[in-house]
Amino acid sequence: MLDPKDPEKLLDLGGPDQICKALLVDPKVGLKQREQVGSGGDHHAEPFQARREVFGRNTLPEAHAVTFLQLLIAAYNDRTLIMLTIASVVSLAVGVYDDLLGSHKNDEVKVGWVEGAAISLAVIVVCFTNAINDYQKEKQFQKLNAKKEDRTVKTLRDGNEVEIGVQEINVGDILLIEPGDIIPVDGVYLSGHNMTCDESSATGESDAIKKGLATDGRDPFILSGAKVLEGVGTMVVVAVGPRSFYGKIMMAMRQGQASETPLQRKLDVLAEQIAKYGMSAAILLLMTLTIKYLVNCALAPEFPPYSIMFSHFVSIIIESITVVVVAVPEGLPMAVTISLAYATTKMLKDGNLVRQLAACETMGGATVVCTDKTGTLTQNLMTVVAGVVAEVELKTRPEAQAFYNSLPKDVQDILLESIAINSTAFEGPDDQGHIEFIGSKSECALLGFGKVCGLDYRSTRADNKPVRVYPFSSEKKTMTTIIPVIGETDQFRVHAKGASEIILRSCTKYMDKDGKCADIDQTVRNEILRRISTFANKALRTFALAYKIIDSAELNSCSDDEAPLSDLIWIGVMGIQDPLRPGVHQAVVDCHRAGVIVRMITGDNIETARAIAREAGILTKGGQAITGPQWRKMTPEQQHAILPRLQVMARSSPLDKQIMVERLQERHEVVAMTGDGTNDSPALKLADVGFSMGIAGTEVAKEASDIILMDDDFKSIVKALRWGRAVNDSVRKFLQFQLTVNITAVLLTFISSVFSADGQSALTAVQLLWVNMIMDTLAALALATEGPTDMVLDRPPQQRHSALITFEMWRMILGQAFFQVVINLLLLNHGLEIFHLPVTKHGVAVLRTMVFNSFVFLQVFNQINCRRIQPNEFNVFANIHNDTGFLLVQVFIVASQYLIITYGGIAFSTVPLNGVQWVGTLFIGMLSLPVGLAIRMLPDLSACFGLESANSPAQQHLPEVSTARMRIEASVKDVQRAV
């Protein structure tokens, strides 16, 4: 009956009276406060128990709460983490065997287990960090929605008006409805006066809906989620909880699985590739060292005993497994987790509550933002922004006080009296407890203007009690109130307001700039019409104010239906608009600069939508604006044809939003969609990133969204875009650094093991642990916590299927890896001569310590190289003074390295170095910076190697038709028409 609305079915059931009779309720008395008897005569211990057993309570079933353990398991369900777990188990088993039975069984310090344990620790840290983040976000979301439980409503119980909590409402209750109420249940209209509801959050219908009896041809159904704009009335509750319109949608929103993000898919592919290459390198090393050892055994004078051979083969296997462990990027999941956790924490301060952690990085690749108008681009506060009163013009909103002060005293008094008296709006608390005007948006705007001018509407209304009120009606488009004139006997003042042209037709006089009444001749009338037309062209909603004086005879002759609207005196006309939020235009400019197309989808009329879109910078020259009905009539092919130039859709429905998202995703766009209504939830779920409104949004919309805009401000979407790109950049920065370290370590281990006489690697297992595990984890902390800069908006978004590693990144990875391997091998083979070290056991120990120290400092300075990964970013020190996390990590690494070299001799196989040797290794490490600059200056040879350059179309998502191209095409057409 209610979904969809079916008045015929209501009449078939006998109308509201029969509904009440069936529900055992008297509309004039309401339910009995202590109702304990069921329909079958059974007595129950609790009030309304029988009623609630049949119709349910007005609460939704507890959502299946995701436990921390489930979040932990979900976090672990990642290919990279599973691969790391296997590597840690193998490494731990081999390490323990080597410590107890192998080549290190006689060592003072047993460190074979450390590598496997460290990798296991990294997996545990990543899993717990992800799970804790998700758990905290869910708690924040529950806290945000908890406010809705505090509302109360007025209802009839035992013939008395009482206030009850929304959870206590039963089917059959008679609710008393007032302006500003948000209906918590479904009901059928019983009685009332001039009751109007805004059901846009539930149905998408932007026009206010008059409520009344079905027999009078009006809408008798009052849906949960609707907001009462004006009028009063009563309704009988017919559906509560999960059976209500709102409840059904809320329950539906609890289903659905989150899909993988673009970054997650790319990282999974990369992890598989690294595993394959690491295994290949390990197998190659195993085969090479085995063949080398067997050849050496064959060439030896005596074949070694089998026990010695077995021990050597175990050592070869351990070294091969170490290569696999080194190759695995265990810091990568940590970098992603830290970057996302850091970004979401900072985004909350920027007004974005991230419900789905992955939405943060997905937003970084957004190519289209489809935004609402009301409340997101605008302030959702209808305001007087222009006007003409007594021939004095108000040009801008900030001039309101000066404009009012310039009016004659008589005009001031009559203007404020008209605004205060001829209105049903009033001040009261909203859902958040803030005091605001409640009622018709236009009347709220006029009262707001009056308040700026010093009007106390309450005292004005208290001093002027109306004798007649003719409420605003959509048919007449006017409202009239008649009051006695204070201090005069037998005189009454008629205040009228409404549609400008209608009021003007009823006026014969006007108030001039001196406050005197003058006749309206044709010249004056034309000037007023010109002003009205000017306001209309600016998409302002115009309201005219007029008045006249009548005596008691005229008052008594007035009918109850027709207001006395003849021979009025024109006061003036006001232009009302929902103004843009401060900074919205610049935010749209930033989106365009970032290559992100902004499209406005609104329920407003096309003229208002165009005007606001132009003011915001969304509708540019050459761009197109259409209405929802026009969009729905198009075939999918026609919709695809218009999409590249479509910038505004007016009179849209929720279905239009859904179709828009589908069409854009068919064009491989990454779509961000905003919505605040219950009916927006399908589009929010379908979009790659769904933004709901924290203030104006319904709980259903919040449930369906990925990110909640706590301040409902479009600027917060741009902040989310910046943080999303920063997350993607952070992961790429770390990936470039991680792969450089891993490739260098694998190659150095492989080459030094194969070509050394005793098969010993340049770096010991524990030294590799420090380089591979600790430095990677710290690097994740350093490179993943740099905030976004303005430069992230100076490039187009990435293609959805672009390569994770660009040509420039591969160039830096391979260039640095080659340089580091060469410099370390050179130092290993010729270091004794270069640093004038003695050819003794101590001299060799000093050299190997210097190799280890040089290797670490090469990574320290390469981290600075990796702070910038874009082709034209040559200054790697840019903004480093503000990157506190990065600087602290570098200080910690250098300090730890000093302690390891000086005091870690037994565990790390090092000896203390003197000042010259420290300076020498530091200088070798610093060479990483000029080498990095030289690599950056190499030509782009991506096409030769089949790789994607950062500036290539394969990496960058460029709009099919740019705003610049649209402007040029429109200008050419203008010239052609002129010629």
Side-chain angles (χ1 to χ4, degrees), residues 204 383 521 807 947:
T383 309
D521 56 22
F807 166 76
L947 298 173

Side-chain angles (χ1 to χ4, degrees), residues 475-540:
E475 294 83 13
K476 296 183 177 66
K477 297 189 183 301
T478 61
M479 176 179 178
T480 307
T481 303
I482 304 175
I483 59 172
V485 178
I486 298 176
E488 300 287 342
T489 58
D490 198 37
Q491 284 199 346
F492 301 87
R493 187 174 289 119
V494 178
H495 283 292
K497 74 172 179 193
S500 304
E501 295 84 354
I502 293 174
I503 294 294
L504 181 59
R505 283 199 298 268
S506 301
C507 291
T508 56
K509 296 181 182 295
Y510 74 102
M511 300 188 80
D512 64 17
K513 59 186 176 182
D514 299 320
K516 307 295 184 183
C517 289
D519 291 333
I520 294 181
D521 56 22
Q522 194 58 44
T523 303
V524 174
R525 193 174 295 277
N526 288 341
E527 175 60 20
I528 294 173
L529 287 171
R530 186 187 69 79
R531 297 278 192 180
I532 294 171
S533 177
T534 301
F535 291 160
N537 289 337
K538 293 179 180 177
L540 303 185

Side-chain angles (χ1 to χ4, degrees), residues 435-448:
I435 300 299
E436 64 174 17
F437 286 109
I438 298 171
S440 161
K441 292 181 180 179
S442 303
E443 290 185 348
C444 291
L446 291 173
L447 281 179

Side-chain angles (χ1 to χ4, degrees), residues 733-753:
K733 290 174 189 176
F734 177 77
L735 191 58
Q736 178 175 299
F737 174 77
Q738 170 97 68
L739 291 182
T740 303
V741 176
N742 289 358
I743 290 174
T744 303
V746 169
L747 286 176
L748 192 60
T749 302
F750 187 94
I751 294 171
S752 59
S753 298

Side-chain angles (χ1 to χ4, degrees), residues 82-98:
I82 293 171
M83 186 175 68
L84 282 172
T85 304
I86 296 170
S88 69
V89 170
V90 173
S91 176
L92 193 61
V94 173
V96 170
Y97 169 82
D98 197 36

Side-chain angles (χ1 to χ4, degrees), residues 371-380 581 584 674 676 693 709 712-715 717:
T371 177
D372 281 335
K373 176 186 76 69
T374 305
T376 309
L377 296 173
T378 63
Q379 298 176 26
N380 195 21
R581 286 180 177 270
V584 161
T674 70
D676 56 5
M693 306 299 138
L709 297 179
D712 291 11
D713 197 339
F714 182 79
K715 297 194 296 294
I717 298 177

Side-chain angles (χ1 to χ4, degrees), residues 728-788:
N728 281 305
D729 283 356
S730 295
V731 173
R732 285 188 163 193
K733 290 174 189 176
F734 177 77
L735 191 58
Q736 178 175 299
F737 174 77
Q738 170 97 68
L739 291 182
T740 303
V741 176
N742 289 358
I743 290 174
T744 303
V746 169
L747 286 176
L748 192 60
T749 302
F750 187 94
I751 294 171
S752 59
S753 298
V754 170
F755 291 99
S756 66
D758 56 356
Q760 188 177 0
S761 170
L763 300 174
T764 67
V766 181
Q767 289 172 352
L768 278 175
L769 167 66
W770 166 244
V771 172
N772 187 57
M773 181 61 226
I774 306 300
M775 283 195 63
D776 285 354
T777 304
L778 291 170
L781 196 61
L783 295 171
T785 55
E786 183 180 3

Side-chain angles (χ1 to χ4, degrees), residues 220-253:
F221 301 111
I222 303 174
L223 300 181
S224 47
K227 183 174 183 178
V228 181
L229 298 179
E230 56 184 342
V232 294
T234 61
M235 64 173 255
V236 58
V237 178
V238 296
V240 296
R243 297 176 182 177
S244 67
F245 186 88
Y246 164 83
K248 289 177 184 176
I249 300 177
M250 196 70 178
M251 294 299 292
M253 285 303 102

